[in-house]
Amino acid sequence: MSAASANPRPLVLISTDVAARGTEFQDLSISLSARYSEAVLWAGGLPLALPAVDGQEVIAQYVRRADGVLLTGGDDVEPRLYGQELAPPLREKVRVTPDGGRRDLRELLLVDELFRQGKPLLAICRGHQLVNVALGGSLVADIPSQVRTECQHRRMDRRSEIVHEVRLTPGSLLAKITGGQRLGVNSTHHQAVERVAPPLQIVAQSEDGVVEGLELKPAASRGFPFFLSVQFHPERLADRYAEHRAIFRAFIQACAVSVEK
Ligand code: MN
């Protein structure tokens, strides 16, 4: 057996964003920042981008073959999925994925299958919000109009820089991974977690109370190899900050255990 086959990289299924008009034929296409795959590769994983496929049976097969799932950033989750019919001024602040709800549904199915099959999950930004919705939580549709805060959470001008701090819950997985009680993060979001889904608990918050990290409650995490969702983008900081590299390293280590089983 060759060294490569003796020690295969864990396969990490990465959810993708949607471009309504892609570059080849100007039709519905997938889009994925290279930073996600770079971070997975660096940490020892083998990234695999999920195409624009639909249907529970197909999603279940992708999850079965993957050793872990990375849910990525992108547009807003459709508010009706968490029971919100927003009135016009607020609704206009929301920009959902331009594919008739297919990405939302695909990722809800992904989370469902992931729990059924018990595989590691790292959820980032929109992924953090999506997983909260998938498990029964809700979202703040627009931070600037709904949260009293001094902090600007949408800093697209500094998307790969530390722009605010979050306070970590002592003893949480995230605190153990990053080795401290405070963490500097980037911030490119205008939505946030509002009602936390019943199986989840807050493990990171900014000064204004915005939920920046979620993990499974101990009772819900039994038999689940790894679950972490973060509002920031560690893949855009991992090249310069050891704490953010450590998030990917811990996730890929959990995926590697899944390979051995
Ligand atoms: Mn933030």
Side-chain angles (χ1 to χ4, degrees):
M1 207 191 278
S2 72
S5 60
N7 197 9
R9 287 169 174 264
L11 187 67
V12 177
L13 184 64
I14 308 181
S15 71
T16 49
D17 200 5
V18 168
R21 297 164 68 83
T23 53
E24 189 183 11
F25 289 114
Q26 288 73 54
D27 58 3
L28 190 73
S29 303
I30 61 169
S31 168
L32 181 68
S33 164
R35 304 296 286 268
Y36 294 108
S37 333
E38 286 164 7
V40 166
L41 266 178
W42 174 85
L46 188 67
L48 176 69
L50 180 65
V53 293
D54 306 298
Q56 200 231 337
E57 183 256 332
V58 167
I59 297 294
Q61 290 213 23
Y62 271 103
V63 173
R64 186 152 295 119
R65 292 185 197 189
D67 301 304
V69 172
L70 173 59
L71 283 175
T72 60
D75 293 321
D76 300 334
V77 176
E78 167 55 51
R80 289 190 196 97
L81 292 173
Y82 46 90
Q84 296 276 315
E85 283 286 350
L86 302 177
L90 195 53
R91 177 76 214 193
E92 282 152 23
K93 308 273 189 193
V94 174
R95 194 186 66 185
V96 298
T97 311
D99 64 349
R102 287 173 61 190
R103 183 182 183 189
D104 286 345
L105 184 56
R106 181 181 309 134
E107 293 182 343
L108 291 176
L109 287 170
L110 257 183
V111 173
D112 195 50
E113 271 306 322
L114 194 92
F115 272 87
R116 190 166 294 135
Q117 300 185 31
K119 303 258 172 120
L121 173 70
L122 176 60
I124 292 175
C125 198
R126 169 196 153 92
H128 162 75
Q129 298 166 1
L130 185 285
V131 78
N132 183 58
V133 170
L135 299 176
S138 69
L139 304 180
V140 173
D142 186 56
I143 294 171
S145 36
Q146 292 178 283
V147 179
R148 189 185 289 268
T149 176
E150 304 279 291
C151 181
Q152 275 191 51
H153 284 276
R154 187 160 175 83
R155 292 296 304 271
M156 294 304 280
D157 57 326
R158 299 185 68 197
R159 61 189 78 176
S160 304
E161 310 298 327
I162 302 286
V163 298
H164 71 73
E165 272 201 333
V166 298
R167 204 171 35 248
L168 307 181
T169 302
S172 63
L173 176 66
L174 186 55
K176 286 179 194 156
I177 289 172
T178 59
Q181 301 208 357
R182 302 187 79 83
L183 180 66
V185 300
N186 50 0
S187 194
T188 59
H189 58 113
H190 83 106
Q191 294 198 324
V193 165
E194 185 175 60
R195 189 180 66 247
V196 176
L200 302 179
Q201 60 187 358
I202 298 170
V203 297
Q205 265 181 310
S206 46
E207 290 295 339
D208 53 14
V210 166
V211 178
E212 297 266 348
L214 291 168
E215 293 175 15
L216 286 168
K217 287 176 182 165
S221 71
R222 225 168 287 128
F224 206 82
F226 183 97
F227 181 105
L228 177 61
S229 84
V230 293
Q231 183 58 75
F232 47 92
H233 282 271
E235 83 285 1
R236 307 195 70 87
L237 300 168
D239 57 339
R240 284 153 294 141
Y241 297 94
E243 301 91 327
H244 292 277
R245 274 197 296 282
I247 292 173
F248 277 90
R249 193 182 296 120
F251 170 56
I252 298 300
Q253 277 172 358
C255 297
V257 171
S258 161
V259 173
E260 287 161 15
K261 278 182 184 166

